Amino acid sequence: MEKKQFQNDLISWFAAEKRDLPWRRTADPYQIWISEIMLQQTRVDTVIPYYKRFIEKFPTLNDLAQADEQILLKQWEGLGYYSRARNLQAGVKEVAENYGGIVPNSRKEISSLKGVGPYTAGAVLSIAYGIPEHAVDGNVMRVLSRILLIEEDIAKPKTRKIFEEAVTEIISHEDPSSFNQGLMELGALICTPTSPKCLLCPVREHCAAFHEGKQNELPIKTKAKKTKSLQYAMVAIRNEDKFLMEQRPESGLLANMWQFPLLETAIDALPLEIEEQLSERLKGVVDKAEKITSFKHVFSHLTWNVDGFIADSKNIVALDRMRWVTAEELELLPVAGPVQKMKTALQQRGEV
């Protein structure tokens, strides 16, 4: 590969063809950091409105550092992978406390922040600070596996090192921001996972896989293990105009988010079984349980199969990490995807 020519071809294509995205209109490392965290595991089109609302709500690093966690989670509601939001805030607090509110500009320091891995560190350093640092994610590994004909399995963690070294070798020192963003954009628009658009590619001349006709065979990626499935009943327990909500534990999946009481059950659990289990757990009476919906919710590592019920109650006092809420109060609580699906079922029945 002719390194200089490759850099020029990639950067000039990026300048001409790049999408107009809100985080590309700023050089603020705080805002770029937010965008990179949101873009992990989430599509660009989905992120744009969330990013705009988030920056409006927390325009400065100190605003986010001082924000109440429940307000933060509400802003993140629907984006999923909620630990990203909590880790982002923890990292931002470290910057506010230890770096005078200025995002550090060295890989060693920025990588010490909570939730900042090698990719995010490299993206912020190159895009916000113009420092020639590698920013390697799955997108970039796919592109470079083709351009450089790297036939290592990208599903293996140790393979990332090969790609980080490759980027360090070929990155533009004059414009590392456009170089790294150009690789990302190439992966998003041209060098896609299936059917890469080689005829439109600005760096086709430099692509070893294209010259050998191997672009559709790369990258090499072994299949992930099958995800685990769990069966749940989610129950909207009402008392006059209020519903009982519980807050999930402070750590683990969907930490501190709110939900209708959840029970792990057998498949097709009967309403009577649900009533008995909840009456015992809540030390009161839960009755008239009626199934109103069934849905599946897929997380990255497991699947929830949920039967949704509505039920009446008597003599139930909200336990620790529980509260009775009106329909208006329910709207203010941060809830994840499964609870949104349950709320939709309740709305269709005119219950909330």
Side-chain angles (χ1 to χ4, degrees), residues 220-260:
I220 307 290
K221 186 179 184 182
T222 51
K223 289 273 188 287
K225 291 197 287 285
K226 202 168 182 293
T227 58
K228 191 167 87 168
S229 279
L230 296 174
Q231 184 72 35
Y232 285 108
M234 184 178 282
V235 189
I237 300 171
R238 62 188 164 192
N239 186 347
E240 294 178 356
D241 66 337
K242 293 188 174 179
F243 285 95
L244 186 65
M245 298 296 286
E246 63 181 2
Q247 191 173 26
R248 289 182 64 83
E250 289 182 6
S251 60
L253 182 67
L254 307 179
N256 284 338
M257 303 291 280
W258 289 84
Q259 64 189 19
F260 297 102

Side-chain angles (χ1 to χ4, degrees), residues 2-293:
E2 210 293 291
K3 187 162 83 174
K4 199 79 195 151
Q5 192 58 50
F6 173 74
Q7 292 170 358
N8 290 342
D9 289 347
L10 180 64
I11 289 169
S12 54
W13 170 80
F14 178 69
E17 301 293 334
K18 66 183 177 188
R19 290 167 294 174
D20 179 21
L21 302 172
W23 46 89
R24 288 187 176 156
R25 300 175 204 152
T26 181
D28 180 350
Y30 162 68
Q31 295 189 10
I32 289 163
W33 181 5
I34 289 168
S35 73
E36 290 299 339
I37 298 297
M38 285 188 168
L39 287 162
Q40 291 167 13
Q41 313 276 3
T42 310
R43 291 162 49 88
V44 167
D45 294 349
T46 304
V47 167
I48 290 171
Y50 278 93
Y51 172 82
K52 287 178 172 172
R53 284 197 298 270
F54 201 88
I55 296 298
E56 218 170 274
K57 186 81 175 170
F58 311 115
T60 70
L61 188 138
N62 284 326
D63 290 323
L64 181 55
Q66 291 161 17
D68 178 271
E69 191 195 68
Q70 291 286 291
I71 291 170
L72 165 67
L73 290 173
K74 188 69 185 168
Q75 285 292 312
W76 204 272
E77 186 180 275
L79 265 181
Y81 301 93
Y82 294 91
S83 59
R84 293 184 297 175
R86 286 187 293 273
N87 289 341
L88 172 63
Q89 186 179 40
V92 159
K93 282 180 175 172
E94 290 174 57
V95 173
E97 288 161 19
N98 304 333
Y99 296 97
I102 309 293
V103 178
N105 63 357
S106 75
R107 185 175 279 275
K108 186 174 181 217
E109 288 179 322
I110 198 170
S111 297
S112 73
L113 301 173
K114 183 92 171 163
V116 177
Y119 168 77
T120 306
V124 173
L125 292 172
S126 60
I127 297 168
Y129 289 121
I131 297 167
E133 288 280 358
H134 61 74
V136 172
D137 65 356
N139 217 10
V140 169
M141 287 197 281
R142 179 177 67 255
V143 171
L144 290 182
S145 71
R146 291 168 177 165
I147 290 169
L148 302 174
L149 197 60
I150 296 171
E151 298 185 276
E152 306 288 331
D153 181 2
I154 68 167
K156 292 182 176 168
K158 63 179 184 186
T159 305
R160 183 179 294 269
K161 198 93 192 121
I162 297 167
F163 288 93
E164 289 174 348
E165 287 167 2
V167 174
T168 301
E169 176 58 34
I170 63 175
I171 193 170
S172 163
H173 284 242
E174 289 73 43
D175 191 354
S177 169
S178 293
F179 182 91
N180 276 345
Q181 289 187 85
L183 282 180
M184 297 168 198
E185 197 76 338
L186 198 65
L189 303 181
I190 305 287
C191 199
T192 47
T194 53
S195 310
K197 304 176 183 72
C198 298
L199 296 180
L200 300 175
C201 180
V203 293
R204 186 182 64 217
E205 299 306 312
H206 309 275
C207 182
F210 177 75
H211 288 301
E212 296 200 17
K214 287 187 169 181
Q215 65 272 21
N216 290 316
E217 296 164 31
L218 292 168
I220 307 290
K221 186 179 184 182
T222 51
K223 289 273 188 287
K225 291 197 287 285
K226 202 168 182 293
T227 58
K228 191 167 87 168
S229 279
L230 296 174
Q231 184 72 35
Y232 285 108
M234 184 178 282
V235 189
I237 300 171
R238 62 188 164 192
N239 186 347
E240 294 178 356
D241 66 337
K242 293 188 174 179
F243 285 95
L244 186 65
M245 298 296 286
E246 63 181 2
Q247 191 173 26
R248 289 182 64 83
E250 289 182 6
S251 60
L253 182 67
L254 307 179
N256 284 338
M257 303 291 280
W258 289 84
Q259 64 189 19
F260 297 102
L262 198 65
L263 291 173
E264 199 162 346
T265 63
I267 293 169
D268 293 329
L270 298 169
L272 188 61
E273 296 172 70
I274 304 294
E275 292 167 4
E276 286 172 356
Q277 282 190 59
L278 280 172
S279 295
E280 189 179 331
R281 179 175 147 195
L282 298 170
K283 301 176 176 54
V285 177
V286 175
D287 60 7
K288 298 184 186 162
E290 179 192 348
K291 187 164 152 183
I292 59 169
T293 186

